[in-house]
């Protein structure tokens, strides 16, 4: 990574004490401007472990993935590039370079790490997550004319572009909102294949029936919301 670009990482976290240290240890800390862990009302030692492993920890009392991401954005010392990464160790933090390099080279504004391109990565997704992704990206292609393969959480975006799109969603619609907005703003977009593995612990969303239903409903709602605006 170029030392001339300031890169910040935001990790939303809810009860991830078993995994957050692994994620932070695999990040190339010496190359990063800021690592922010957003403690989303955890009831375990997530915040303490994150501090022990070198992260800046901020608290977001409103539950929701989007709320945590928004809190992380508010805590940024404005960088050049922002990377979003899950705290459950399902992604490979050391692959951050794959997402950041095209932005550093001024070739892209938004780079999405796709879990759907590599066969082994697809296998680590629960069936309901795979099917939900396929439906969502089909609707995005149908209504907005851009072909994504995934709604993956591992993503990088130019800070100026992040400010331009004005993210708002506070929960399950966050990833699809970002992808629709970068398309509507005609930003330069790239998908890159990333590795993916079984997460540490049980998913709070696709690991439960209610979480899967709520997430799926909100994602579909968000797509139609931006179709009409």
């Amino acid at each position: 990574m170029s030392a001339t670009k300031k890169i910040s990482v935001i990790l939303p976290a809810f009860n991830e004490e078993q995994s957050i240290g692994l994620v932070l240890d695999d990040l190339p800390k010496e190359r990063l401007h800021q690592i922010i862990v957003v403690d989303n009302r955890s009831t375990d030692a997530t915040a303490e472990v994150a501090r022990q492993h070198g992260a800046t920890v901020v608290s977001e009392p409103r539950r929701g993935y989007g709320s945590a991401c928004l809190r992380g954005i508010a805590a940024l010392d404005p960088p050049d590039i922002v990377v979003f990464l899950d705290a459950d160790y399902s992604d490979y933090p050391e692959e951050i370079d794959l997402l950041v390099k095209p932005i550093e080279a001024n070739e892209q504004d938004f780079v999405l790490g796709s879990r759907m391109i590599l066969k082994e990565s697809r296998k680590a997704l629960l069936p309901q997550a795979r099917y939900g992704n396929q439906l969502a990206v089909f609707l995005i292609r149908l209504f907005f004319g851009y072909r994504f393969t995934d709604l993956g959480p591992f993503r990088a975006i130019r800070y100026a572009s992040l400010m331009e799109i004005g993210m708002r969603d506070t929960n399950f619609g966050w990833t699809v909102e970002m992808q629709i907005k970068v398309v509507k703003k005609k930003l330069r977009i790239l998908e890159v294949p990333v590795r993916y593995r079984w997460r540490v612990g049980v998913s709070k969303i696709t690991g439960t029936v209610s979480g899967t239903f709520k997430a799926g409903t909100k994602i579909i709602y968000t797509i139609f919301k931006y179709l009409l605006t």
Side-chain angles (χ1 to χ4, degrees), residues 35-178:
I35 303 173
I36 299 172
V37 171
V38 184
D39 180 21
N40 198 199
R41 275 178 60 190
S42 295
T43 57
D44 64 4
T46 294
E48 180 183 347
V49 174
R51 291 189 186 97
Q52 290 172 353
H53 287 260
T56 298
V57 178
V58 298
S59 177
E60 175 47 68
R62 296 178 304 162
R63 281 274 174 85
Y65 185 83
S67 292
C69 289
L70 290 168
R71 179 67 182 90
I73 292 170
L76 288 170
D77 173 24
D80 298 296
I81 301 167
V82 183
V83 177
F84 294 90
L85 175 66
D86 276 357
D88 61 12
Y89 206 50
S90 54
D91 297 300
Y92 287 73
E94 62 270 30
E95 292 188 336
I96 191 172
D97 212 28
L98 298 175
L99 283 72
V100 169
K101 272 191 170 182
I103 303 177
E104 287 185 308
N106 197 29
E107 295 169 354
Q108 309 294 337
D109 301 305
F110 173 71
V111 180
L112 176 69
S114 174
R115 304 162 296 178
M116 300 298 288
I117 297 173
L118 302 176
K119 182 178 180 181
E120 291 305 311
S121 296
R122 290 197 301 272
K123 287 182 179 178
L125 279 167
L126 293 172
Q128 56 267 37
R130 288 200 301 271
Y131 300 144
N133 265 327
Q134 288 171 357
L135 175 59
V137 297
F138 168 76
L139 292 174
I140 292 173
R141 181 183 179 189
L142 179 66
F143 296 134
F144 301 98
Y146 191 90
R147 184 172 184 171
F148 288 107
T149 65
D150 196 8
L151 302 180
F154 197 9
R155 51 187 57 206
I157 185 168
R158 194 180 303 278
Y159 178 74
S161 299
L162 181 61
M163 295 298 99
E164 181 183 2
I165 64 176
M167 292 295 296
R168 295 180 181 176
D169 194 88
T170 59
N171 48 56
F172 304 119
W174 172 271
T175 56
V176 72
E177 178 195 3
M178 183 179 289

Side-chain angles (χ1 to χ4, degrees), residues 7-11 27 32 34-37 83-85 96:
I7 302 158
S8 295
V9 179
I10 295 174
L11 297 100
L27 282 169
L32 300 175
Q34 229 179 345
I35 303 173
I36 299 172
V37 171
V83 177
F84 294 90
L85 175 66
I96 191 172

